[in-house]
């Protein structure tokens, strides 16, 4: 006879936090949202600690290189989507790692015999306004000059004019020699009021650029998440089919952490994938796994050696797994059980395996609820898909600006590897939809507003850190009528002619 759970599974919307005592120290400015990303032993620290508890979903419509840079700037980690060629995914990772190295290898390069049209095309492709002009048009060719937006005016110049006619030539540039430190480079930039400084080898070849904006951005973003070389931290998705080819390419590109992208993680496929990573890289390569919804699934992946474990099946806004296959569990119930198993595992083994809540986040306060229930961080898809930096297009739908958002199990993505059960390499039926989400502007504005709410709620609970919130939190189930009571009701809103009841 099948096993029956005695209690229904719950969603985040069925819970509220009950406030606790708040001291005068409990103000949002004093709250730390630091949280471990990967497993660690008792008495040690995690090899990667995030400054905010947010990672982006491994999805085509969410996690490209632009979003990865923007999220790392805010203190979180993006996982570049794996449902693309190995070469393309590795290239995205490399672009993120090259963006914030202090010394940046130029990715905008042309020859002097090319034209203004080539400059404009290149700018459209990568958005960068500084173009290195080298003898052969390569990143490390002999430097002949640079082109910036100050060197041309599209309205007054023909697009077929040669770059050599309007570039700033080498003899008019301020450069620095090979071996210049980052501090020395920044001093030169400030002393000469430059936007960029080329670092040139002894034989005149371009090595790197140092940009003023990188220094400015660091000062504006004190929580940005950097590796030991001052590059942005970035993750990447892998699958259980081509990991032997994909993992080496992503590691070579500089990925800081990997994650197996699968709709259901309690399987031998994930065990084999993790074992392969451990056999070839030991503990040097960090790899998360999932998704699971109960203690058994957590214990299985923890014993396999997963560095973090994702919780959630069927709770995503574009996921229809529960409808099509009848599997899953309410996100709150799944998270509570798995986090309890995580704590028991830590007591038994002395190894702490962080838990990621993936799916079911509808409102900002659901993030705080997930953290209170034990999650170390949350994975978000719809939330990040709304911002400028996501890879999807902005469209006008009935007068409202929207962004396209589709699931990895949709016909559009056709990410069959995510739903792989060892059969043919195809998506047999859809487990996701193709949709729109309301456009929400810049990621930084949205994330900062959301985290202000999280910090504020934590203060209401008398907590200044995530572990303290998990220790002090008091959660109560709410009835359907109390959910109605919690919103605006029995008034006529000024933005509507209808009465809210």
């Amino acid at each position: 006879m099948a096993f029956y759970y005695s209690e229904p599974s719950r969603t985040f919307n069925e819970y509220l936090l009950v406030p606790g005592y708040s001291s005068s120290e409990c103000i949002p400015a004093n709250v730390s949202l630091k949280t471990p990303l990967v497993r660690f032993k008792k008495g040690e620290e995690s090899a990667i600690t995030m400054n905010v508890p947010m990672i982006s979903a491994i999805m085509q419509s969410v996690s490209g290189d632009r979003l990865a840079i923007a999220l790392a700037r805010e203190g979180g980690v993006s996982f570049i989507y794996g449902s693309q060629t190995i070469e393309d995914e590795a290239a995205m990772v490399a672009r993120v790692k090259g963006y914030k190295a202090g010394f940046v290898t130029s990715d905008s390069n042309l020859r002097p015999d090319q034209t203004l049209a080539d400059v404009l095309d290149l700018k459209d492709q990568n958005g960068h306004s500084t173009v290195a002009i080298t003898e052969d048009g390569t990143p490390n060719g002999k430097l002949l000059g640079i082109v910036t937006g100050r060197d041309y005016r599209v309205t007054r110049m023909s697009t077929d004019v040669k770059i050599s006619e309007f570039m700033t030539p080498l003899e008019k540039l301020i450069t620095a020699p090979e071996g210049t430190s980052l501090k020395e480079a920044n001093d030169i930039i400030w002393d000469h009021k430059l936007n960029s400084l080329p670092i040139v080898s002894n034989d005149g070849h371009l090595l790197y650029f140092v940009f003023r904006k990188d220094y400015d951005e660091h000062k504006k973003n004190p929580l940005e998440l950097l590796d030991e070389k001052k590059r942005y931290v970035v993750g990447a998705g892998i699958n259980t089919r081509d990991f032997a080819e994909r993992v080496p390419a992503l590691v070579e590109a500089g990925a800081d952490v990997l994650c197996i992208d699968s709709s259901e993680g309690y399987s031998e496929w994930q065990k084999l994938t993790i074992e392969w990573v451990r056999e070839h890289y030991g503990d040097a390569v960090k790899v998360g796994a999932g998704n699971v919804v109960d203690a058994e699934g957590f214990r299985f992946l923890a014993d396999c050696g997963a560095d973090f474990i994702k919780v959630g099946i069927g709770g995503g806004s574009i996921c229809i797994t529960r409808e099509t296959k009848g599997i899953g569990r309410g996100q709150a119930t799944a998270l509570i059980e798995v986090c309890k198993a995580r704590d028991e595992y830590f007591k038994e083994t002395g190894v702490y395996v962080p838990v990621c809540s993936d799916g079911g986040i509808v409102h900002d306060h659901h993030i705080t609820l997930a953290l209170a229930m034990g999650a170390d961080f949350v994975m978000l898809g719809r939330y990040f898909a709304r911002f400028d930096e996501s890879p999807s297009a902005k469209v006008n739908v009935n007068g409202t600006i929207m962004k396209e958002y589709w699931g990895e199990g949709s016909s559009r993505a056709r990410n069959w590897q995510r739903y792989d059960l060892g059969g043919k390499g195809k998506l047999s039926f859809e487990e996701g939809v193709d949709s729109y989400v309301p456009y929400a502007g810049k990621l930084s504005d949205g994330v900062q507003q959301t985290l202000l709410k999280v910090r504020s709620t934590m203060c209401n609970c008398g907590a200044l850190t995530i572990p303290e919130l998990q220790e002090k939190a008091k959660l109560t189930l709410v009835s359907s009528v109390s959910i109605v009571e919690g919103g605006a009701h029995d008034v006529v809103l000024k933005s509507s002619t209808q009465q809210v009841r």
Side-chain angles (χ1 to χ4, degrees):
M1 182 177 178
F3 176 81
Y4 290 87
Y5 287 91
S6 58
E7 294 291 330
S9 60
R10 307 284 187 177
T11 67
F12 291 132
N13 228 33
E14 295 178 81
Y15 286 92
L16 285 175
L17 282 158
V18 176
Y21 171 73
S22 301
S23 72
S24 59
E25 293 295 313
C26 282
I27 59 174
N30 290 340
V31 172
S32 169
L33 293 176
K34 285 183 176 292
T35 192
L37 177 60
V38 295
R39 70 161 57 202
F40 58 93
K41 293 180 180 178
K42 187 175 183 178
E44 299 179 356
E45 291 187 1
S46 176
I48 305 175
T49 297
M50 296 190 292
N51 292 325
V52 301
M54 303 172 83
I55 65 175
S56 68
I58 310 169
M59 299 176 66
Q60 294 175 8
S61 55
V62 179
S63 295
D65 49 308
R66 282 188 66 213
L67 190 127
I69 291 167
L71 182 52
R73 192 175 290 152
E74 299 303 317
V77 175
S78 185
F79 282 79
I80 302 295
Y81 66 91
S83 52
Q84 57 181 321
T85 67
I86 294 172
E87 294 75 17
D88 287 347
E89 185 180 10
M92 280 192 176
V93 170
R95 284 197 291 273
V96 178
K97 299 307 291 187
Y99 185 88
K100 182 68 179 182
F103 296 98
V104 179
T105 300
S106 176
D107 66 354
S108 294
N109 312 282
L110 295 171
R111 301 185 310 274
D113 60 336
Q114 293 181 272
T115 66
L116 176 58
D118 294 313
V119 173
L120 298 176
D121 287 344
L122 190 58
K123 185 177 179 181
D124 285 342
Q125 288 176 29
N126 58 29
H128 297 165
S129 59
T130 299
V131 180
I133 309 305
T134 59
E135 195 170 59
D136 58 2
T138 64
N140 299 120
K142 189 170 184 179
L143 183 64
L144 302 179
I146 65 171
V147 170
T148 70
R150 293 178 296 184
D151 292 312
Y152 60 86
R153 293 187 68 178
V154 177
T155 56
R156 296 189 178 185
M157 295 170 61
S158 170
T159 55
D160 60 4
V161 63
K162 300 289 186 184
I163 289 173
S164 58
E165 297 181 32
F166 63 88
M167 71 180 186
T168 300
L170 179 62
E171 57 268 23
K172 293 186 178 181
L173 292 176
I174 295 173
T175 64
E178 184 176 358
T180 300
S181 70
L182 186 58
K183 183 181 184 306
E184 290 169 339
N186 281 321
D187 288 342
I188 294 170
I189 286 173
W190 283 97
D191 291 343
H192 296 276
K193 300 180 180 179
L194 305 174
N195 288 322
S196 64
L197 176 70
I199 308 297
V200 182
S201 68
N202 295 332
D203 58 359
H205 286 252
L206 177 63
L207 298 175
Y208 309 103
F209 275 107
V210 177
F211 292 97
R212 173 194 288 264
K213 64 182 176 61
D214 285 346
Y215 179 85
D216 292 341
E217 285 173 359
H218 176 66
K219 293 301 180 183
K220 289 188 297 184
N221 300 283
L223 294 179
E224 63 182 355
L225 195 59
L226 306 175
D227 65 15
E228 69 281 356
K229 296 181 180 179
K230 306 299 183 183
R231 303 174 300 180
Y232 283 132
V233 172
V234 62
I238 62 174
N239 62 67
T240 57
R241 280 285 183 119
D242 65 7
F243 54 84
E245 295 79 35
R246 191 173 294 268
V247 171
L250 296 175
V251 171
E252 177 68 23
D256 297 277
V257 57
L258 307 175
C259 183
I260 302 171
D261 183 27
S262 175
S263 64
E264 201 279 299
Y266 192 2
S267 73
E268 187 177 6
W269 306 112
Q270 298 222 357
K271 181 176 185 287
L272 295 172
T273 304
I274 296 169
E275 285 178 346
W276 187 93
V277 172
R278 294 290 172 252
E279 178 185 349
H280 289 81
Y281 295 97
D283 291 328
V285 171
K286 308 301 181 183
V287 55
N291 288 21
V292 298
V293 292
D294 63 8
E296 289 181 14
F298 171 86
R299 173 71 66 154
F300 172 78
L301 291 177
D303 288 339
C304 288
D307 284 296
F308 66 85
I309 294 172
K310 293 199 294 153
V311 177
I313 294 176
S317 59
I318 41 69
C319 184
I320 55 173
T321 293
R322 295 181 193 175
E323 294 180 28
T324 56
K325 295 170 70 173
I327 65 167
R329 200 176 191 189
Q331 187 66 15
T333 299
L335 182 61
I336 291 167
E337 180 176 323
V338 169
C339 289
K340 181 181 178 183
R342 182 230 17 232
D343 294 342
E344 291 172 351
Y345 190 84
F346 182 51
K347 289 179 182 178
E348 291 176 24
T349 66
V351 175
Y352 187 91
V353 182
V355 166
C356 169
S357 180
D358 177 17
I361 303 290
V362 179
H363 306 292
D364 287 346
H365 75 269
H366 289 170
I367 297 175
T368 319
L369 284 168
L371 297 174
M373 291 172 181
D376 296 281
F377 50 93
V378 297
M379 175 174 270
L380 303 163
R382 179 197 61 83
Y383 178 90
F384 287 120
R386 304 172 302 148
F387 297 126
D388 281 320
E389 294 85 353
S390 75
S392 63
K394 279 192 291 188
V395 293
N396 189 318
V397 180
N398 298 324
T400 301
I401 302 300
M402 311 286 278
K403 291 208 75 174
E404 295 180 310
Y405 179 46
W406 59 95
E408 290 296 291
S410 68
S411 290
R412 181 170 183 174
R414 304 205 68 79
N415 182 6
W416 63 269
Q417 294 96 332
R418 188 175 196 277
Y419 304 88
D420 184 29
L421 293 175
K424 294 181 179 180
K426 65 176 184 177
L427 191 69
S428 300
F429 53 88
E430 287 186 284
E431 293 191 44
V433 299
D434 198 344
S435 62
Y436 302 107
V437 289
Y439 168 64
K442 290 175 57 179
L443 179 144
S444 60
D445 293 339
V447 167
Q448 288 171 22
Q449 178 70 18
T450 294
L451 294 181
L452 179 59
K453 295 177 185 178
V454 172
R455 291 185 177 99
S456 180
T457 306
M458 287 173 63
C459 288
N460 293 142
C461 296
L464 293 176
T465 66
I466 293 172
E468 190 177 8
L469 173 67
Q470 292 165 351
E471 179 185 341
K472 292 183 174 181
K474 295 181 291 184
L475 291 145
T476 181
L477 279 168
V478 293
S479 67
S480 58
V481 289
S482 66
I483 292 174
V484 174
E485 180 186 63
H489 60 89
D490 298 306
V491 294
V492 177
L493 299 179
K494 291 185 178 181
S495 58
S496 172
T497 57
Q498 294 183 332
Q499 184 176 6
V500 180
R501 301 190 61 85

